[in-house]
Amino acid sequence: MDTSSAGIQEPFDLIRLSLNERVFVKLRGDRELTGVLHAYDGHMNLIMSAVEETIMIVDPAEGGQGSVNYVKRKMDMLFVRGDGVILVSPPSRT
Amino acid sequence: MDSLIPFTTSGSLVDCVDRKMLVVLRDGRKLFGVLRSYDQFANLVLEDTVERIYHQDVFAEQWVGLFLIRGENVVLLGEIDLDREDEVPLKQVEWDVLLPYHKLDTDMKKRREEFKAQVLHEQKGFSKEGGEGDGY
Amino acid sequence: MLIFSVFKTLTDQTVIVELKNDLLITGVLKSVDQFLNIRLDNIQVSDEARHPHMIAVKNCFIRGSVVRYVQIPADAVDTQLLEDATRREALNQTKR
């Protein structure tokens, strides 16, 4: 994907160019997703497939500092409500 | 607007009117009452309402009467299966007896969530607003 | 409007709605509206012991704003069609 010539003029262009690509989505609360993006709208509602969800678990260590662990979960096809989305990141090109 | 209602989900609540319903609110409250009216925002009128609290396998209820509930506070509206209701394996106790236990449960949950949000905010860059008013 | 249309095509399919309070409800999608409020029939709540108030509930109305995810049957959507429709809608948005 050549972002320089494809013309990113507004924020949603970035996510349009990520259609049919694996994206990373960070959500409010305690969750992150990766999955193949198939649809979105202006609310940033998303439809993704082959989703892997990472849920953060905080173990309350005695004396303040908690340690963060996580569990993973897989889902075939998922609608994600836009109001929970913090960021969408296109596939890494590394 | 009236003509639009049958085509919306809140329009599909027609068959729930005059039935015993459960309403779960965003602050976690559970209300049981008879649905008398609703509109496209899911504003609800609930009559003969009781509030229920739970702790493990017991519950208690308190009469709260007639309500108009503003739609934005509604999480879920459930139709009670009256046959199934009789089979619910829970024991009812006095409200005043159960209230301290229920308060302990909710306080502990709130503290856990605040701690978690704080840790995730500091260590993992999550938004603390994740749990904002979503204690239901 | 796009997502609303997708949900309309999913009527009578079994879906899993996950709420922001971590409640998971499996049921048959009966209807949906422009706010993505959802009506589910014949529901089953996972971990019922933690949600005893749901035991006697058979059908329910879920306010769209409290939904985190909806898991949908993968074979019920044509992903190519979805992407094309999304590009078309995005184009219409910018032309406005």
Side-chain angles (χ1 to χ4, degrees):
Chain A
M1 192 176 79
D2 182 1
T3 47
S4 57
S5 67
I8 292 197
Q9 259 126 38
E10 56 170 61
F12 277 102
D13 289 343
L14 186 71
I15 134 167
R16 192 184 75 240
L17 294 167
S18 304
L19 279 169
N20 200 228
E21 305 249 20
R22 188 160 275 275
V23 294
F24 169 83
V25 179
K26 196 176 182 94
L27 298 173
R28 280 166 177 255
D30 54 2
R31 283 148 208 263
E32 295 170 349
L33 305 170
T34 66
V36 181
L37 182 69
H38 298 295
Y40 66 87
D41 66 11
H43 301 289
M44 235 178 263
N45 291 321
L46 311 171
I47 295 177
M48 298 159 74
S49 70
V51 177
E52 186 180 76
E53 181 192 35
T54 307
I55 308 171
M56 307 292 152
I57 312 266
V58 174
D59 295 319
E62 292 302 320
Q65 284 291 320
S67 61
V68 180
N69 287 307
Y70 58 83
V71 288
K72 286 187 184 285
R73 181 166 67 141
K74 286 187 159 69
M75 291 165 284
D76 283 345
M77 187 68 71
L78 190 68
F79 159 77
V80 181
R81 193 169 162 96
D83 60 4
V85 174
I86 294 176
L87 64 86
V88 180
S89 175
S92 63
R93 279 167 293 277
T94 50
Chain B
M1 205 59 207
D2 269 359
S3 61
L4 283 174
I5 286 178
F7 301 105
T8 63
T9 304
S10 35
S12 77
L13 291 175
V14 199
D15 53 327
C16 299
V17 171
D18 297 333
R19 289 199 188 196
K20 185 173 177 184
M21 304 294 288
L22 153 72
V23 178
V24 180
L25 300 181
R26 282 218 323 242
D27 67 355
R29 263 177 237 267
K30 284 100 189 169
L31 304 174
F32 290 79
V34 180
L35 182 69
R36 291 300 186 194
S37 183
Y38 66 89
D39 63 18
Q40 69 270 38
F41 306 112
N43 294 323
L44 308 171
V45 172
L46 217 57
E47 196 182 10
D48 291 329
T49 314
V50 294
E51 176 179 357
R52 275 196 194 169
I53 52 175
Y54 296 83
H55 176 74
Q56 293 167 3
D57 55 356
V58 292
F59 74 97
E61 62 184 41
Q62 183 186 41
W63 171 265
V64 285
L66 177 66
F67 276 137
L68 187 157
I69 302 163
R70 192 175 150 87
E72 64 173 329
N73 302 299
V74 174
V75 172
L76 171 151
L77 184 68
E79 192 181 332
I80 306 293
D81 186 333
L82 294 172
D83 298 328
R84 227 188 285 178
E85 196 185 23
D86 297 332
E87 295 160 15
V88 172
L90 298 176
K91 205 177 76 183
Q92 186 169 0
V93 298
E94 285 297 316
W95 178 272
D96 293 339
V97 173
L98 197 59
L99 191 61
Y101 293 94
H102 177 254
K103 232 181 110 35
L104 215 64
D105 285 350
T106 47
D107 287 352
M108 216 153 79
K109 185 171 175 226
K110 195 171 157 228
R111 271 208 305 279
R112 260 203 319 268
E113 276 168 8
E114 277 169 3
F115 177 71
K116 179 173 181 176
Q118 183 66 31
V119 170
L120 288 181
H121 175 64
E122 284 165 3
Q123 299 185 20
K124 297 280 172 184
F126 277 93
S127 160
K128 271 195 285 192
E129 296 148 298
E132 135 215 54
D134 290 336
Y136 44 86
Chain C
M1 255 0 216
L2 171 85
I3 304 271
F4 173 41
S5 309
V6 174
F7 272 108
K8 277 197 291 190
T9 68
L10 294 172
T11 309
D12 293 324
Q13 298 271 358
T14 298
V15 298
I16 306 174
V17 179
E18 181 167 337
L19 308 189
K20 287 173 183 156
N21 66 353
D22 296 337
L23 181 62
L24 260 90
I25 309 174
T26 306
V28 179
L29 184 68
K30 269 304 159 195
S31 68
V32 65
D33 65 16
Q34 69 271 32
F35 305 117
L36 305 184
N37 295 324
I38 289 172
R39 182 78 194 261
L40 285 186
D41 276 9
N42 210 351
I43 63 159
Q44 189 65 49
V45 169
S46 11
D47 200 2
E48 217 162 49
R50 271 190 54 223
H51 308 279
H53 56 286
M54 296 298 291
I55 296 175
V57 176
K58 52 177 177 182
N59 307 325
C60 73
F61 166 90
I62 301 163
R63 204 160 190 276
S65 57
V66 304
V67 170
R68 178 188 289 136
Y69 306 136
V70 183
Q71 295 183 48
I72 53 193
D75 51 13
V77 289
D78 181 333
T79 54
Q80 184 63 54
L81 215 70
L82 262 184
E83 289 159 23
D84 293 345
T86 302
R87 287 195 188 91
R88 227 174 303 127
E89 190 169 86
L91 203 67
N92 287 335
Q93 295 295 317
T94 41
K95 268 198 294 199
R96 251 182 332 123

